[in-house]
Coordinates of all heavy atoms in Angstrom, one line a residue:
M22 N 101.3 -46.8 -292.9 CA 99.9 -46.4 -292.7 C 99.0 -47.5 -293.3 O 99.2 -47.8 -294.5 CB 99.7 -45.0 -293.4 CG 98.3 -44.6 -293.2 SD 98.1 -42.8 -293.6 CE 97.0 -43.0 -295.0
S23 N 98.1 -48.0 -292.5 CA 97.1 -49.0 -293.0 C 96.0 -48.3 -293.8 O 95.7 -47.1 -293.6 CB 96.5 -49.7 -291.8 OG 97.5 -50.5 -291.2
R24 N 95.4 -49.1 -294.7 CA 94.3 -48.6 -295.4 C 93.1 -49.4 -295.1 O 93.1 -50.6 -294.9 CB 94.6 -48.7 -296.9 CG 95.7 -47.9 -297.4 CD 95.9 -48.0 -298.8 NE 94.7 -47.5 -299.5 CZ 94.6 -47.4 -300.8 NH1 95.5 -47.8 -301.6 NH2 93.5 -47.0 -301.3
L25 N 91.9 -48.7 -294.9 CA 90.7 -49.4 -294.7 C 90.3 -50.3 -295.8 O 90.4 -49.9 -297.0 CB 89.6 -48.3 -294.5 CG 88.2 -48.9 -294.2 CD1 88.1 -49.5 -292.9 CD2 87.2 -47.8 -294.3
Q26 N 90.0 -51.5 -295.5 CA 89.6 -52.5 -296.5 C 88.2 -53.0 -296.1 O 87.9 -53.4 -295.0 CB 90.6 -53.6 -296.5 CG 90.2 -54.7 -297.6 CD 91.2 -55.8 -297.6 OE1 91.5 -56.4 -296.5 NE2 91.6 -56.2 -298.7
I27 N 87.3 -52.9 -297.1 CA 85.9 -53.5 -296.9 C 85.8 -54.7 -297.8 O 86.1 -54.6 -299.0 CB 84.9 -52.4 -297.3 CG1 85.0 -51.2 -296.4 CG2 83.5 -53.0 -297.2 CD1 84.1 -50.0 -296.7
R28 N 85.3 -55.8 -297.2 CA 85.2 -57.0 -298.0 C 84.0 -57.8 -297.6 O 83.6 -57.7 -296.5 CB 86.5 -57.9 -297.9 CG 86.9 -58.2 -296.5 CD 88.2 -58.9 -296.5 NE 88.6 -59.3 -295.1 CZ 89.8 -59.1 -294.6 NH1 90.7 -58.5 -295.3 NH2 90.0 -59.5 -293.4
E29 N 83.5 -58.6 -298.6 CA 82.4 -59.5 -298.3 C 82.9 -60.6 -297.3 O 84.1 -61.0 -297.5 CB 81.9 -60.1 -299.6 CG 80.5 -60.8 -299.4 CD 79.9 -61.2 -300.7 OE1 80.1 -60.5 -301.7 OE2 79.2 -62.2 -300.7
D30 N 82.1 -60.9 -296.3 CA 82.6 -61.8 -295.3 C 81.7 -63.0 -295.2 O 80.5 -62.9 -295.3 CB 82.6 -61.1 -294.0 CG 83.5 -61.7 -292.9 OD1 83.1 -62.8 -292.4 OD2 84.5 -61.1 -292.5
D31 N 82.3 -64.2 -294.9 CA 81.5 -65.4 -294.7 C 81.1 -65.7 -293.3 O 80.5 -66.8 -293.0 CB 82.2 -66.6 -295.4 CG 83.5 -66.9 -294.7 OD1 83.9 -66.3 -293.6 OD2 84.2 -67.8 -295.2
L32 N 81.4 -64.9 -292.4 CA 81.0 -65.0 -290.9 C 81.6 -66.2 -290.3 O 81.0 -66.8 -289.4 CB 79.5 -65.0 -290.8 CG 78.9 -63.7 -291.2 CD1 77.5 -63.9 -291.8 CD2 78.7 -62.8 -290.0
T33 N 82.8 -66.6 -290.7 CA 83.5 -67.8 -290.1 C 84.6 -67.4 -289.1 O 85.1 -68.2 -288.4 CB 84.0 -68.8 -291.1 OG1 84.9 -68.1 -291.9 CG2 82.8 -69.4 -291.9
G34 N 85.1 -66.2 -289.2 CA 86.2 -65.7 -288.4 C 85.8 -65.5 -286.9 O 84.7 -65.0 -286.6
K35 N 86.7 -65.9 -286.0 CA 86.4 -65.7 -284.6 C 86.3 -64.2 -284.2 O 85.4 -63.8 -283.5 CB 87.6 -66.3 -283.8 CG 87.3 -66.1 -282.3 CD 88.5 -66.7 -281.5 CE 88.4 -66.6 -280.0 NZ 87.6 -65.5 -279.4
N36 N 87.1 -63.3 -284.8 CA 87.1 -61.9 -284.5 C 85.8 -61.3 -284.9 O 85.2 -60.4 -284.2 CB 88.3 -61.1 -285.0 CG 88.6 -61.4 -286.4 OD1 87.9 -62.2 -287.1 ND2 89.7 -60.8 -286.9
V37 N 85.2 -61.7 -286.0 CA 83.9 -61.2 -286.5 C 82.8 -61.7 -285.6 O 81.9 -61.0 -285.2 CB 83.7 -61.6 -288.0 CG1 82.2 -61.2 -288.4 CG2 84.7 -60.9 -288.9
A38 N 82.8 -63.0 -285.2 CA 81.8 -63.6 -284.3 C 81.9 -62.9 -283.0 O 80.8 -62.6 -282.4 CB 82.1 -65.1 -284.1
D39 N 83.1 -62.6 -282.5 CA 83.2 -61.8 -281.2 C 82.6 -60.4 -281.3 O 82.0 -60.0 -280.4 CB 84.7 -61.7 -280.8 CG 85.3 -63.1 -280.4 OD1 84.5 -64.0 -280.1 OD2 86.5 -63.2 -280.3
L40 N 82.9 -59.7 -282.4 CA 82.4 -58.4 -282.6 C 80.8 -58.4 -282.6 O 80.2 -57.6 -281.9 CB 82.8 -57.8 -283.9 CG 82.2 -56.5 -284.3 CD1 82.7 -55.3 -283.4 CD2 82.6 -56.1 -285.8
L41 N 80.2 -59.4 -283.3 CA 78.8 -59.5 -283.4 C 78.2 -59.9 -282.0 O 77.2 -59.3 -281.6 CB 78.4 -60.5 -284.4 CG 78.6 -60.1 -285.9 CD1 78.4 -61.2 -286.8 CD2 77.8 -58.9 -286.2
R42 N 78.8 -60.8 -281.3 CA 78.3 -61.2 -280.0 C 78.4 -60.0 -279.0 O 77.4 -59.7 -278.3 CB 79.2 -62.3 -279.4 CG 78.6 -62.9 -278.1 CD 79.5 -63.9 -277.4 NE 80.7 -63.3 -277.0 CZ 82.0 -63.4 -277.5 NH1 82.1 -64.1 -278.6 NH2 83.0 -62.8 -277.0
E43 N 79.5 -59.3 -279.0 CA 79.6 -58.1 -278.1 C 78.5 -57.0 -278.5 O 77.9 -56.4 -277.6 CB 81.0 -57.5 -278.2 CG 81.2 -56.3 -277.3 CD 82.6 -55.7 -277.4 OE1 83.5 -56.5 -277.8 OE2 82.8 -54.5 -277.1
H44 N 78.3 -56.8 -279.8 CA 77.3 -55.9 -280.2 C 75.9 -56.2 -279.7 O 75.2 -55.4 -279.2 CB 77.3 -55.8 -281.8 CG 76.3 -54.9 -282.3 ND1 76.2 -53.5 -282.1 CD2 75.2 -55.2 -283.1 CE1 75.2 -53.0 -282.7 NE2 74.5 -54.0 -283.3
L45 N 75.6 -57.5 -279.9 CA 74.2 -58.0 -279.5 C 74.1 -57.8 -278.0 O 73.0 -57.4 -277.5 CB 74.0 -59.4 -279.9 CG 73.6 -59.6 -281.4 CD1 73.5 -61.1 -281.7 CD2 72.2 -58.9 -281.6
E46 N 75.1 -58.2 -277.2 CA 75.1 -58.1 -275.8 C 74.9 -56.6 -275.3 O 74.0 -56.4 -274.5 CB 76.4 -58.7 -275.1 CG 76.5 -60.2 -275.2 CD 77.8 -60.7 -274.7 OE1 78.7 -59.9 -274.4 OE2 78.0 -61.9 -274.7
N47 N 75.6 -55.7 -276.0 CA 75.5 -54.3 -275.6 C 74.1 -53.8 -276.0 O 73.5 -53.0 -275.3 CB 76.6 -53.5 -276.3 CG 77.9 -53.7 -275.7 OD1 78.1 -54.1 -274.6 ND2 79.0 -53.4 -276.5
M48 N 73.6 -54.2 -277.2 CA 72.3 -53.8 -277.6 C 71.2 -54.2 -276.6 O 70.3 -53.4 -276.2 CB 71.9 -54.3 -279.0 CG 72.7 -53.8 -280.1 SD 72.2 -52.1 -280.5 CE 70.6 -52.2 -281.1
H49 N 71.3 -55.4 -276.1 CA 70.3 -55.9 -275.1 C 70.4 -55.3 -273.8 O 69.5 -55.2 -273.0 CB 70.3 -57.4 -275.0 CG 69.8 -58.1 -276.2 ND1 68.5 -58.2 -276.5 CD2 70.4 -58.8 -277.3 CE1 68.3 -58.8 -277.7 NE2 69.4 -59.2 -278.1
E50 N 71.6 -54.8 -273.4 CA 71.8 -54.1 -272.1 C 71.3 -52.7 -272.1 O 70.8 -52.2 -271.1 CB 73.3 -54.1 -271.8 CG 73.9 -55.4 -271.4 CD 75.4 -55.3 -271.2 OE1 76.0 -54.2 -271.2 OE2 76.1 -56.3 -271.1
I51 N 71.4 -52.0 -273.2 CA 71.1 -50.5 -273.2 C 69.9 -50.1 -274.1 O 69.5 -48.9 -274.1 CB 72.4 -49.7 -273.7 CG1 72.7 -50.0 -275.1 CG2 73.5 -50.0 -272.7 CD1 73.8 -49.1 -275.7
T52 N 69.3 -51.1 -274.8 CA 68.2 -50.7 -275.7 C 66.9 -51.4 -275.3 O 67.0 -52.6 -275.0 CB 68.6 -51.1 -277.1 OG1 69.9 -50.6 -277.4 CG2 67.6 -50.7 -278.2
P53 N 65.8 -50.8 -275.4 CA 64.5 -51.4 -275.1 C 64.4 -52.6 -276.1 O 64.8 -52.5 -277.3 CB 63.5 -50.4 -275.4 CG 64.2 -49.1 -275.3 CD 65.6 -49.3 -275.7
P54 N 63.8 -53.7 -275.6 CA 63.7 -55.0 -276.5 C 63.1 -54.7 -277.8 O 63.6 -55.3 -278.8 CB 62.9 -55.9 -275.6 CG 63.0 -55.4 -274.2 CD 63.3 -53.9 -274.3
E55 N 62.1 -53.9 -277.9 CA 61.4 -53.6 -279.2 C 62.3 -52.8 -280.2 O 61.9 -52.6 -281.3 CB 60.1 -52.9 -279.0 CG 60.2 -51.5 -278.4 CD 60.3 -51.4 -276.9 OE1 60.4 -52.5 -276.2 OE2 60.2 -50.3 -276.4
S56 N 63.4 -52.3 -279.7 CA 64.3 -51.5 -280.5 C 65.6 -52.1 -280.9 O 66.5 -51.5 -281.5 CB 64.6 -50.1 -279.8 OG 63.4 -49.4 -279.7
V57 N 65.8 -53.4 -280.5 CA 67.0 -54.2 -280.9 C 66.7 -54.7 -282.3 O 66.0 -55.7 -282.4 CB 67.3 -55.3 -279.9 CG1 68.5 -56.1 -280.3 CG2 67.6 -54.7 -278.5
H58 N 67.4 -54.2 -283.3 CA 67.2 -54.6 -284.7 C 68.6 -55.1 -285.2 O 69.2 -54.6 -286.1 CB 66.7 -53.4 -285.5 CG 65.5 -52.8 -285.0 ND1 64.3 -53.5 -285.0 CD2 65.2 -51.6 -284.4 CE1 63.3 -52.7 -284.5 NE2 63.9 -51.6 -284.1
A59 N 69.1 -56.2 -284.6 CA 70.3 -56.8 -285.0 C 70.2 -58.3 -285.0 O 69.4 -58.9 -284.2 CB 71.4 -56.4 -284.0
L60 N 70.8 -58.9 -286.0 CA 70.7 -60.4 -286.2 C 72.0 -61.0 -285.6 O 73.1 -60.5 -285.6 CB 70.6 -60.7 -287.7 CG 69.4 -60.1 -288.4 CD1 69.5 -60.4 -289.9 CD2 68.1 -60.6 -287.8
D61 N 71.8 -62.3 -285.2 CA 73.0 -63.0 -284.7 C 73.7 -63.7 -285.9 O 73.2 -63.6 -287.1 CB 72.5 -64.1 -283.7 CG 71.6 -65.2 -284.3 OD1 71.5 -65.3 -285.5 OD2 71.0 -65.9 -283.4
V62 N 74.8 -64.3 -285.7 CA 75.6 -64.9 -286.8 C 74.8 -65.9 -287.6 O 74.9 -65.8 -288.9 CB 76.9 -65.6 -286.2 CG1 77.6 -66.3 -287.3 CG2 77.8 -64.6 -285.5
E63 N 74.1 -66.7 -287.0 CA 73.3 -67.7 -287.8 C 72.3 -67.0 -288.7 O 72.1 -67.4 -289.9 CB 72.6 -68.7 -286.9 CG 73.6 -69.7 -286.2 CD 74.5 -70.4 -287.2 OE1 74.0 -70.9 -288.2 OE2 75.7 -70.5 -286.9
A64 N 71.6 -66.1 -288.2 CA 70.6 -65.3 -289.1 C 71.3 -64.6 -290.2 O 70.8 -64.5 -291.3 CB 69.8 -64.4 -288.2
L65 N 72.5 -64.1 -289.9 CA 73.2 -63.3 -291.0 C 73.8 -64.2 -292.1 O 74.1 -63.8 -293.2 CB 74.4 -62.5 -290.3 CG 73.9 -61.3 -289.5 CD1 75.1 -60.8 -288.7 CD2 73.4 -60.2 -290.4
R66 N 73.8 -65.5 -291.8 CA 74.3 -66.5 -292.8 C 73.2 -66.9 -293.8 O 73.4 -67.7 -294.7 CB 74.8 -67.7 -292.1 CG 76.2 -67.5 -291.5 CD 76.7 -68.8 -290.9 NE 78.0 -68.5 -290.3 CZ 78.5 -69.1 -289.2 NH1 77.7 -70.0 -288.6 NH2 79.7 -68.8 -288.8
S67 N 72.0 -66.3 -293.7 CA 71.0 -66.6 -294.7 C 71.4 -66.3 -296.1 O 72.1 -65.3 -296.3 CB 69.7 -65.7 -294.3 OG 68.7 -65.9 -295.2
P68 N 71.0 -67.1 -297.1 CA 71.5 -66.9 -298.4 C 71.0 -65.6 -299.1 O 71.6 -65.1 -300.0 CB 70.9 -68.1 -299.2 CG 70.1 -68.9 -298.3 CD 70.2 -68.3 -296.9
D69 N 70.0 -65.0 -298.5 CA 69.5 -63.7 -299.1 C 70.1 -62.5 -298.4 O 69.7 -61.4 -298.7 CB 68.0 -63.7 -299.1 CG 67.4 -63.8 -297.7 OD1 68.1 -64.2 -296.8 OD2 66.1 -63.6 -297.6
I70 N 71.1 -62.7 -297.5 CA 71.8 -61.6 -296.9 C 73.3 -61.6 -297.3 O 73.9 -62.6 -297.3 CB 71.7 -61.8 -295.3 CG1 70.3 -61.6 -294.9 CG2 72.6 -60.8 -294.6 CD1 70.1 -61.8 -293.4
T71 N 73.7 -60.4 -297.7 CA 75.2 -60.2 -298.0 C 75.8 -59.5 -296.8 O 75.2 -58.4 -296.4 CB 75.4 -59.5 -299.3 OG1 74.7 -60.2 -300.3 CG2 76.8 -59.4 -299.6
F72 N 76.9 -59.9 -296.3 CA 77.5 -59.4 -295.1 C 78.9 -58.9 -295.5 O 79.7 -59.6 -296.1 CB 77.6 -60.5 -294.0 CG 78.1 -60.0 -292.7 CD1 77.3 -59.3 -291.8 CD2 79.4 -60.2 -292.4 CE1 77.8 -58.9 -290.6 CE2 80.0 -59.8 -291.2 CZ 79.2 -59.1 -290.3
W73 N 79.2 -57.7 -295.0 CA 80.6 -57.1 -295.2 C 81.2 -56.7 -293.9 O 80.5 -56.4 -292.9 CB 80.5 -55.8 -296.1 CG 80.0 -56.0 -297.5 CD1 80.8 -56.3 -298.6 CD2 78.7 -55.9 -298.0 NE1 80.0 -56.4 -299.7 CE2 78.7 -56.2 -299.3 CE3 77.5 -55.6 -297.3 CZ2 77.6 -56.1 -300.1 CZ3 76.4 -55.6 -298.1 CH2 76.4 -55.9 -299.5
T74 N 82.6 -56.7 -293.9 CA 83.3 -56.3 -292.7 C 84.3 -55.2 -293.2 O 84.8 -55.2 -294.4 CB 84.1 -57.4 -292.0 OG1 84.8 -58.2 -293.0 CG2 83.1 -58.3 -291.2
A75 N 84.6 -54.3 -292.3 CA 85.6 -53.3 -292.5 C 86.8 -53.6 -291.7 O 86.7 -53.8 -290.5 CB 85.1 -51.9 -292.2
W76 N 88.0 -53.5 -292.3 CA 89.3 -53.9 -291.6 C 90.3 -52.8 -291.7 O 90.4 -52.1 -292.7 CB 89.8 -55.1 -292.3 CG 88.9 -56.3 -292.2 CD1 87.9 -56.6 -293.0 CD2 89.0 -57.4 -291.2 NE1 87.3 -57.8 -292.6 CE2 88.0 -58.3 -291.5 CE3 89.9 -57.6 -290.2 CZ2 87.8 -59.4 -290.7 CZ3 89.7 -58.8 -289.4 CH2 88.6 -59.7 -289.7
D77 N 91.1 -52.7 -290.7 CA 92.4 -51.9 -290.7 C 93.5 -53.0 -290.4 O 93.6 -53.3 -289.2 CB 92.3 -50.8 -289.6 CG 93.6 -50.0 -289.6 OD1 94.5 -50.2 -290.5 OD2 93.7 -49.1 -288.8
G78 N 94.1 -53.5 -291.4 CA 95.1 -54.5 -291.2 C 94.4 -55.8 -290.7 O 93.4 -56.3 -291.3
E79 N 94.7 -56.3 -289.5 CA 94.1 -57.5 -289.0 C 93.0 -57.2 -288.0 O 92.4 -58.1 -287.4 CB 95.2 -58.3 -288.3 CG 96.3 -58.9 -289.2 CD 95.7 -59.8 -290.2 OE1 94.9 -60.7 -289.9 OE2 96.0 -59.6 -291.4
E80 N 92.7 -55.9 -287.8 CA 91.6 -55.5 -286.9 C 90.3 -55.2 -287.6 O 90.3 -54.4 -288.5 CB 92.1 -54.2 -286.1 CG 91.1 -53.8 -285.1 CD 91.5 -52.5 -284.4 OE1 92.5 -51.9 -284.8 OE2 90.8 -52.1 -283.4
V81 N 89.3 -55.9 -287.1 CA 87.9 -55.6 -287.7 C 87.4 -54.4 -287.0 O 87.4 -54.3 -285.8 CB 87.0 -56.9 -287.5 CG1 86.8 -57.2 -286.1 CG2 85.7 -56.6 -288.2
L82 N 86.9 -53.4 -287.8 CA 86.4 -52.2 -287.3 C 84.9 -52.1 -287.3 O 84.4 -51.3 -286.5 CB 87.0 -51.0 -288.2 CG 88.5 -50.9 -288.3 CD1 88.8 -49.8 -289.2 CD2 89.1 -50.7 -286.9
G83 N 84.3 -52.8 -288.1 CA 82.8 -52.7 -288.2 C 82.3 -53.7 -289.2 O 83.0 -54.4 -289.9
C84 N 80.9 -53.7 -289.4 CA 80.3 -54.6 -290.3 C 79.0 -54.0 -290.8 O 78.4 -53.1 -290.2 CB 80.1 -55.9 -289.7 SG 79.1 -55.9 -288.2
G85 N 78.4 -54.6 -291.8 CA 77.1 -54.2 -292.3 C 76.5 -55.3 -293.1 O 77.3 -56.2 -293.6
A86 N 75.2 -55.3 -293.3 CA 74.6 -56.4 -294.0 C 73.4 -55.8 -294.8 O 72.8 -54.8 -294.4 CB 74.1 -57.5 -293.1
L87 N 73.1 -56.4 -295.9 CA 71.9 -56.1 -296.7 C 71.2 -57.3 -297.1 O 71.8 -58.4 -297.4 CB 72.3 -55.4 -298.0 CG 72.9 -54.0 -297.9 CD1 73.3 -53.5 -299.3 CD2 71.8 -53.0 -297.3
K88 N 69.9 -57.3 -297.0 CA 69.0 -58.4 -297.3 C 68.3 -58.1 -298.6 O 67.7 -57.1 -298.8 CB 68.0 -58.7 -296.2 CG 67.1 -59.9 -296.5 CD 66.2 -60.2 -295.4 CE 65.3 -61.4 -295.8 NZ 64.5 -61.8 -294.6
E89 N 68.4 -59.1 -299.5 CA 67.7 -58.9 -300.8 C 66.2 -59.2 -300.6 O 65.8 -60.2 -300.0 CB 68.2 -59.9 -301.8 CG 67.6 -59.7 -303.2 CD 68.2 -60.6 -304.3 OE1 69.4 -61.0 -304.1 OE2 67.4 -60.9 -305.2
L90 N 65.4 -58.2 -300.9 CA 63.9 -58.3 -300.7 C 63.3 -58.6 -302.1 O 63.5 -58.0 -303.1 CB 63.3 -57.0 -300.1 CG 63.9 -56.6 -298.8 CD1 63.4 -55.2 -298.4 CD2 63.6 -57.6 -297.7
G91 N 62.4 -59.6 -302.1 CA 61.7 -59.9 -303.3 C 60.6 -58.8 -303.5 O 59.9 -58.5 -302.6
I92 N 60.5 -58.3 -304.7 CA 59.5 -57.3 -305.0 C 58.4 -57.8 -305.9 O 58.6 -58.6 -306.7 CB 60.1 -56.0 -305.6 CG1 61.2 -55.5 -304.7 CG2 59.1 -55.0 -305.9 CD1 62.0 -54.4 -305.2

């Protein structure tokens, strides 16, 4: 039995890039333009954004990101 693993990701893996590309394509197909709130790989590589991926073995299941906001 595999265990879910969540890890900080550097956005260099092909499977992560494929997941993000597919997500953006789907968002633009089914969502009004003003409601698409997703960043592409280059934007997610910003130094003030931390990006994580969730894995089951070698399969990427999902991802998330947080941006540090200056207060």
